[in-house]
Amino acid sequence: MTSNYVLFRIAARLFGVKLQGAIEIMAWQRSRAVPLSYSYIEGVMEYRGVIYPVFHLAQLLGFSQPGPIGFTAPQDPGPVKGRSIILLQEGDKSFGITVDSVVKMLPLEDVSAPAADVKGINTKLVRGIRFDDDQEIILLSFERLFHAG
Amino acid sequence: MDLKTRYLIILLQGESFAIPITSLLEITVPRNIQRDPKLSEIFEGKIEYRGTLIPVVNMKKVLKLPGNPGTGLIVIKSSKGVLGLLVDAAKELLETAQKPVPIPRGVLNPSLNYYVGILRNRDHLVLLLNEDGFLP
C-alpha cells in the first residue's frame, strides 16, 4: 500500500513521517517549556485551540546533547533559516516535531516490518528505510513515545 | 454560564505558573529565613508567619530551574498545612471560566503529579501547579 509521507531534514539526513490526518507546517517558534518534562520535549504549544506537545527531534534521535535533567530542554536556537515545526497526527495522538527543514510530500510504499539498525540514531522510532532518487529516507513513527514511563 | 475561578500568576525564570486563589493566604517578601538541616533540599528553611514557624519551599529547586531562590514569598495553605513558596514575583490575577487542559501525554513521566494542567492567559500558556503533588 502507498501512503503520503512528509519528508524533512535533520542534521543533513532525510526523514519521513506518514500522514495520517491533518498536517500543519509553520516556521519554528518557541514552545512553552514544561519543567521536569522529558529531555527531548521542547514544550507545549497551542494551535487552533488544541495543545500539542513539541518534540525536539534532533535530540530524540540522538543528534544533540540533552540539557540538564529536568530543565527546559533545548535552548532557544534563535531564528534559523528553514527550521520548522510540523504538527501531525498518529492514531489519536497529536504532536509537533521540530525539524531543520521541510523538503516535500511524497507517496511511498508503506513498510510492514521494522528496519534493521540505522547507524547513529535512536532506532526506537525507526519504521523502515525507503529511497527517493538514491537518497535514503528514514521513516519514523512516534507512537511509542506516548507509552513511555 | 460557567463559574469563574481566580488564579494567582507567579513568575519563575520568566515563565508563568498559577495557583488557585483559594489556596492563597498572603503575598509578601521572605524575611529571616531560619535554616533547618533536617528539611529536604527543596526547602530553604522556616519562617515565622502569624506567630508560627512554617516551612519555605524554593520553587526553583522543586522544578529544577536554575537561578537564585527568588525574592517573593507566597504563603499558601495546602493539604499538608501552611507553607511559603519562594518565587521571582507574583504577577497578576487571572479570572477565568476555563477548565485546565491536562498536560498532553508523552511530555512528562506520568508519575510526576506536579501540574493540574494548562491555562491560557491572553497569548501565552500558564502551568497550573498542584501544590499537593510536589510536597514530600
Side-chain angles (χ1 to χ4, degrees):
Chain A
M1 219 176 88
T2 300
S3 305
N4 280 318
Y5 285 76
V6 56
L7 306 192
F8 50 87
R9 281 187 198 284
I10 295 170
R13 295 180 82 164
L14 193 58
F15 295 89
V17 171
K18 185 174 168 173
L19 296 183
Q20 299 182 24
I23 177 172
E24 199 67 47
I25 296 170
M26 61 186 74
W28 183 87
Q29 55 179 277
R30 193 172 172 274
S31 296
R32 166 64 214 252
V34 178
L36 306 171
S37 58
Y38 296 120
S39 60
Y40 52 79
I41 295 286
E42 272 191 31
V44 291
M45 66 175 283
E46 183 179 27
Y47 182 75
R48 292 191 180 159
V50 177
I51 291 178
Y52 294 83
V54 179
F55 298 117
H56 187 266
L57 204 42
Q59 190 155 307
L60 192 50
L61 293 167
F63 290 154
S64 59
Q65 289 301 308
I69 291 168
F71 182 46
T72 54
Q75 295 297 306
D76 184 342
V80 176
K81 195 168 178 288
R83 181 182 291 266
S84 304
I85 291 177
I86 307 176
L87 299 181
L88 290 164
Q89 292 179 318
E90 236 179 66
D92 62 345
K93 304 295 187 304
S94 299
F95 55 91
I97 53 177
T98 298
V99 303
D100 289 347
S101 63
V102 178
V103 178
K104 61 178 172 182
M105 308 280 185
L106 188 70
L108 288 171
E109 187 79 6
D110 284 335
V111 287
S112 47
D117 280 4
V118 180
K119 232 183 179 167
I121 68 170
N122 177 356
T123 50
K124 150 171 126 167
L125 307 174
V126 176
R127 293 284 298 144
I129 305 287
R130 286 283 176 264
F131 288 88
D132 176 42
D133 284 343
D134 288 342
Q135 271 208 91
E136 184 187 70
I137 306 166
I138 303 165
L139 303 183
L140 302 175
S141 163
F142 298 90
E143 205 177 346
R144 293 177 71 172
L145 294 178
F146 294 96
H147 305 293
Chain B
M1 184 73 191
D2 282 335
L3 280 178
K4 289 191 171 178
T5 308
R6 290 198 299 163
Y7 300 93
L8 177 69
I9 306 287
I10 56 178
L11 287 181
L12 292 164
Q13 290 296 125
E15 297 274 23
S16 305
F17 298 83
I19 56 168
I21 212 90
T22 49
S23 311
L24 182 68
L25 296 174
E26 193 171 327
I27 302 171
T28 177
V29 289
R31 276 195 206 90
N32 302 324
I33 298 182
Q34 302 166 29
R35 308 282 156 197
D36 184 344
K38 291 196 295 291
L39 294 171
S40 74
E41 75 152 2
I42 65 164
F43 293 100
E44 277 296 294
K46 290 186 168 176
I47 205 164
E48 195 180 308
Y49 175 73
R50 295 184 188 168
T52 55
L53 282 178
I54 61 167
V56 174
V57 175
N58 177 346
M59 285 307 295
K60 289 183 192 169
K61 281 260 172 72
V62 169
L63 298 173
K64 296 199 165 66
L65 295 169
N68 299 324
T71 54
L73 182 72
I74 310 295
V75 181
I76 64 163
K77 56 179 188 302
S78 76
S79 66
K80 316 237 164 125
V82 175
L83 74 154
L85 307 178
L86 285 174
V87 299
D88 286 332
K91 192 181 165 210
E92 59 181 318
L93 286 179
L94 169 65
E95 185 172 16
T96 177
Q98 302 168 49
K99 285 208 163 57
V101 179
I103 307 246
R105 277 177 63 185
V107 171
L108 287 165
N109 185 321
S111 66
L112 270 183
N113 201 16
Y114 287 25
Y115 305 108
V116 176
I118 302 170
L119 294 166
R120 302 169 178 92
N121 183 23
R122 295 189 293 275
D123 61 346
H124 63 277
L125 301 175
V126 176
L127 299 176
L128 177 56
L129 293 167
N130 172 20
E131 63 272 19
D132 294 329
F134 57 73
L135 293 175

